[in-house]
Amino acid sequence: KNFLKKSTENRHCPAPCSPRTREKKKMAGAKSPTKKDDLDELLMHDYGRRASVPKKILYFFLALLPFEISLVIFTRVLDLDIFSTYLLISISVFVSAIVLSLAYHNLTFARSVKLRKTFHEPTKSLFRNKPEEHQHALVKYESKLKQSSFAYSIAYNNVLVMAIMLVLGAYVLKDKIQPEVNFGISSVVAGAIAYINSISARKLVHE
C-alpha cells in the first residue's frame, strides 16, 4: 500500500522530490487563477473603465455644486423664486447632476489613458534587487495619475457647465420664458453637453 501511495504521488512529480516540493507545486497551481482574477480586477477598477459605487456617489455630490452656484446666480440676476418652484428646480438639479456625474467619470478615464501614454510607469530595471521600492513607486505613480485625472475632469466639466448655463440663462433665454423654466432648460442642456463632450473624449483615446 505504501508503494502504491508513493507511486501515485510521483505522478505529480516526475523527478524525485520531497513532500515540501510537491506541496509548493500544488500551492502554485492553486494560486494561478487568483492572480488572473486580481489582474482583471485591476484593469477594471484601477484603470477606471468602470466606476465603483463609492466613486459614483462622490461624483454625484460633486456634480451638485456647479448647479447650486448657478442657482444662486439665477436667484439674484433673474429673480428666480426658489420656494414657489421648488419641485421643478429639484428635479432639474437631480437629473442634471446624474448626467454630469457620468461626464466626470468619462473624462477622468479619458484623461488617465492620455497621461499613461505620456508618462510611463516606473520599470523594474530602475529598481534592481529592490522590489519593495519598485512597488512603492508604482503605487505613487498610480496615485498621482488618478488625482491629476480626477481634478482635471471636475474642474473642466464644472467650468463648462457653468459657462453654458450663464450664456443660455442670461443671454439666450432671458426674458423669453419664466425664470424657473429657464433654469431647468439651462441646467439640463449644460449637463447634456458636458456628457456628450466626455463621450467624444473617451472615444478619442481608443483611436
Side-chain angles (χ1 to χ4, degrees), residues 3-195:
F3 175 76
L4 291 174
K5 185 178 180 181
K6 290 180 179 179
S7 63
T8 305
E9 292 178 350
N10 288 335
R11 291 178 183 176
H12 301 284
C13 187
C17 55
S18 63
R20 183 178 297 180
T21 305
R22 286 193 293 268
E23 188 67 22
K24 287 182 179 180
K25 290 189 175 184
K26 290 180 181 179
M27 291 176 65
K31 287 182 180 179
S32 57
T34 306
K35 290 181 179 179
K36 186 178 184 302
D37 295 338
D38 292 342
L39 179 60
D40 293 339
E41 185 177 356
L42 177 67
L43 290 173
M44 183 175 67
H45 294 289
D46 285 8
Y47 287 0
R49 286 177 172 82
R50 295 182 184 178
S52 60
V53 174
K55 186 171 286 187
K56 289 179 181 178
I57 296 174
L58 176 61
Y59 282 147
F60 176 76
F61 281 105
L62 288 174
L64 293 173
L65 182 61
F67 297 108
E68 290 176 353
I69 296 175
S70 300
L71 182 60
V72 173
I73 297 175
F74 270 68
T75 56
R76 295 187 177 183
V77 176
L78 301 177
D79 297 327
L80 174 63
D81 187 2
I82 300 177
F83 299 101
S84 62
T85 57
Y86 180 77
L87 182 60
L88 176 61
I89 292 174
S90 299
I91 294 174
S92 302
V93 170
F94 181 78
V95 173
S96 303
I98 291 178
V99 177
L100 182 57
S101 65
L102 297 175
Y104 283 159
H105 175 66
N106 289 334
L107 193 58
T108 299
F109 172 72
R111 183 66 177 177
S112 66
V113 172
K114 188 175 181 179
L115 289 177
R116 287 179 193 279
K117 295 178 180 179
T118 306
F119 303 100
H120 300 288
E121 64 181 24
T123 59
K124 291 183 178 180
S125 59
L126 298 175
F127 303 90
R128 294 180 180 177
N129 300 325
K130 296 179 180 179
E132 294 182 358
E133 292 186 7
H134 177 245
Q135 186 65 27
H136 177 72
L138 286 175
V139 172
K140 189 175 181 180
Y141 167 81
E142 288 292 334
S143 177
K144 286 185 176 181
L145 190 143
K146 289 179 183 179
Q147 292 176 5
S148 177
S149 303
F150 180 80
Y152 175 84
S153 176
I154 300 299
Y156 181 91
N157 282 301
N158 284 356
V159 171
L160 178 63
V161 165
M162 293 185 65
I164 293 172
M165 289 193 68
L166 290 177
V167 171
L168 284 177
Y171 295 100
V172 179
L173 301 177
K174 185 180 179 181
D175 301 329
K176 295 181 180 179
I177 54 178
Q178 295 296 324
E180 60 273 14
V181 180
N182 184 350
F183 177 81
I185 294 175
S186 299
S187 59
V188 173
V189 170
I193 292 176
Y195 176 72

